[in-house]
Amino acid sequence: MSATEETERADRRRVFADLTPLRTSAHYRRLWFGNTVSWVGQGMTALAVSLQVYEITRSPFSVGLVGLFSLVPLIVFGLYGGAIADTVDRRKLGLASATGSAVLSAALATAAFAGFHHVWFLYAIVALQSVCAALNSPARSSMIPRLLPPEQLRAANALNSMTTTFGTLVGPSLGGLIVGFGGFQTAYLIDAVAFFAALYAMWRLPSMLPERTGATRASVLDGLRFLATRPNLRMTFFSDFCAMILAHPRALFPVVAVLWYDGDATTTGLLVAAPAAGALLGGVLSGWQGRIRHHGQAILLAVACWGTAIAVFGLTRDLWLGLLLLALAGYSDTVSMIFRNTMMQVAAPDEMRGRLQGVFIVVVAGGPRLGDFLAGSVADLTSPAVAITGGGIACVVAIGVLALYGRGFRRYDALKPTA
């Protein structure tokens, strides 16, 4: 049997995530490990800040403002962060923004040790951390196609999805334990130290100047105009909007926990954790995706599965079946995200990757918030069941319309990528 045949047989048998990018690229391996550690640390800090704000104010509204101070800078600076990443050395931008995040976590720790407990200070630090994240994410994401060959990008995106979901699940839980045993200052200090893993990974990278074609500066509007002329890349964002805006029931979980399952805060926690657990499983069990060539079709099917799972969730009143359906939705979302990211990295030219990642940040940050608002509004006018099931059905119908409209997207071939 030839080496090629053995490789093909191995691909057919593969179920778990493909670790090839970690084995073949030391730069990517360090970047992935550093990002994993920093995601856990940021999850710890996010929970610790919310707990500290509540301890100071005893106001749920004040705690809710933490999310607002985090979201607005992320959306505002997301597009500009992408434009900057297409202009400067991405390695230096990644180093500077990661250093800023580490310094801000150290400032939180110092203030906590000194007994400086002021809500305005916490809000300011959270906003500045979001600015650093908006600068760091496009730079880091646009580096990956320079570190790995195109055929490994799908596997790298699966590994990256595991990092994000793992940090989202483990970080807050670990942060709660650390705050309970060592106080806020300990959680902040651990986060600041954790950033050294990301800083070391960035430091070891080679220079990452974008491959520009005569442009002296990168414009946000140029990036949006480029996206407007690339139907396949544009469809990746439209498909995500179908899921995140039309069928995003997260805001209704507290209501659903009480009305449908006669539960409490623990039940709400399970409902919130189920999609994240499914998303993590989507990265762990991503080996089969290497056999998929038509990424557009995979995205359409994954979003349709998300909408279907959400619609059926709105009809069930059995908690464990509901959790299973939410986990299936989370799994489908990860599959869609992996292929969407891969298409953006492969089909877009290097000088546009930062700005596309900036648009991606805005979609990921803003889309679910619009979905929360829509679900809450519809539920208030009708009922949670109508909002959730109707939203899931609307998602499936919308993605069906996109499938009919986007013939080129359906035919997208990973071996012959076109934007």
Side-chain angles (χ1 to χ4, degrees):
M1 183 183 297
S2 67
T4 302
E5 290 174 335
E6 289 182 357
T7 301
E8 291 177 350
R9 288 189 62 181
D11 287 340
R12 286 194 294 270
R13 292 193 301 266
R14 180 175 289 133
V15 175
F16 294 100
D18 184 359
L19 303 182
T20 302
L22 296 175
R23 290 196 296 266
T24 60
S25 173
H27 288 309
Y28 174 77
R29 183 167 60 247
R30 285 190 290 265
L31 198 63
W32 182 84
F33 176 76
N35 196 32
T36 301
V37 173
S38 63
W39 262 100
V40 173
Q42 290 169 70
M44 291 169 45
T45 291
L47 181 74
V49 168
S50 295
L51 291 174
Q52 189 174 9
V53 168
Y54 185 73
E55 183 177 278
I56 295 171
T57 65
R58 296 296 173 181
S59 167
F61 176 76
S62 298
V63 176
L65 285 179
V66 174
L68 184 64
F69 277 96
S70 175
L71 174 64
V72 173
L74 196 62
I75 293 177
V76 172
F77 286 91
L79 293 174
Y80 290 100
I84 294 171
D86 285 338
T87 308
V88 303
D89 186 338
R90 290 163 177 164
R91 170 184 174 272
K92 292 182 179 178
L93 179 60
L95 268 174
S97 53
T99 300
S101 295
V103 169
L104 291 169
S105 292
L108 284 172
T110 302
F113 275 115
F116 187 76
H117 303 303
H118 295 278
V119 174
W120 65 263
F121 175 77
L122 297 175
Y123 288 157
I125 294 293
V126 165
L128 291 173
Q129 285 178 328
S130 288
V131 173
C132 290
L135 296 174
N136 185 270
S137 183
R140 187 179 63 248
S141 298
S142 55
M143 290 176 187
I144 295 175
R146 302 275 289 273
L147 300 176
L148 297 169
E151 62 271 15
Q152 293 184 19
L153 290 178
R154 193 236 20 114
N157 284 313
L159 293 169
N160 293 341
S161 75
M162 293 165 59
T163 288
T164 304
T165 312
F166 181 78
T168 302
L169 282 172
V170 174
S173 302
L174 190 59
L177 291 174
I178 291 174
V179 169
F181 284 103
F184 302 113
Q185 62 272 16
T186 305
Y188 298 144
L189 186 60
I190 291 174
D191 183 27
V193 173
F195 270 107
F196 281 96
L199 288 170
Y200 176 73
M202 293 281 185
W203 181 263
R204 293 291 302 273
L205 289 173
S207 176
M208 287 279 176
L209 285 168
E211 299 170 357
R212 295 189 297 274
T213 56
T216 56
R217 65 185 182 87
S219 165
V220 171
L221 292 178
D222 286 343
L224 295 176
R225 281 193 286 264
F226 170 81
L227 186 59
T229 61
R230 298 300 189 273
N232 287 338
L233 293 178
R234 195 167 62 244
M235 282 283 286
T236 63
F237 292 103
F238 287 161
S239 62
D240 192 39
F241 275 135
C242 289
M244 295 297 99
I245 296 178
L246 298 176
H248 198 261
R250 180 184 59 187
L252 301 179
F253 285 164
V255 177
V256 164
V258 175
L259 293 183
W260 295 0
Y261 306 119
D262 195 26
D264 51 16
T266 301
T267 309
T268 303
L270 289 173
L271 294 173
V272 172
L280 181 60
L281 196 63
V284 172
L285 303 179
S286 60
W288 61 272
Q289 297 170 16
R291 302 191 293 273
I292 305 299
R293 286 177 51 182
H294 298 287
H295 290 183
Q297 291 182 16
I299 293 170
L300 293 170
L301 288 172
V303 175
C305 286
W306 164 280
T308 302
I310 295 300
V312 179
F313 168 72
L315 298 174
T316 183
R317 297 298 179 268
D318 180 83
L319 177 60
W320 296 109
L321 178 58
L323 294 175
L324 180 63
L325 289 165
L326 290 175
L328 176 60
Y331 182 95
S332 302
D333 184 49
T334 293
V335 172
S336 169
M337 184 273 295
I338 290 170
F339 286 119
R340 283 187 288 111
N341 269 348
T342 303
M343 285 182 65
M344 280 194 294
Q345 291 171 340
V346 174
D350 180 77
E351 65 269 17
M352 287 290 174
R353 285 174 181 152
R355 276 165 286 186
L356 288 182
Q357 288 296 329
V359 175
F360 180 75
I361 289 174
V362 173
V363 170
V364 170
R369 271 69 181 187
L370 289 175
D372 289 342
F373 174 75
L374 180 62
S377 300
V378 174
D380 190 54
L381 294 172
T382 56
S383 69
V386 171
I388 294 173
T389 298
I393 294 172
C395 172
V396 174
V397 171
I399 206 68
V401 172
L402 287 181
L404 291 174
Y405 170 76
R407 182 179 302 177
F409 189 67
R410 296 198 314 269
R411 295 177 178 176
Y412 177 91
D413 190 338
L415 300 181
K416 301 175 183 178
T418 55

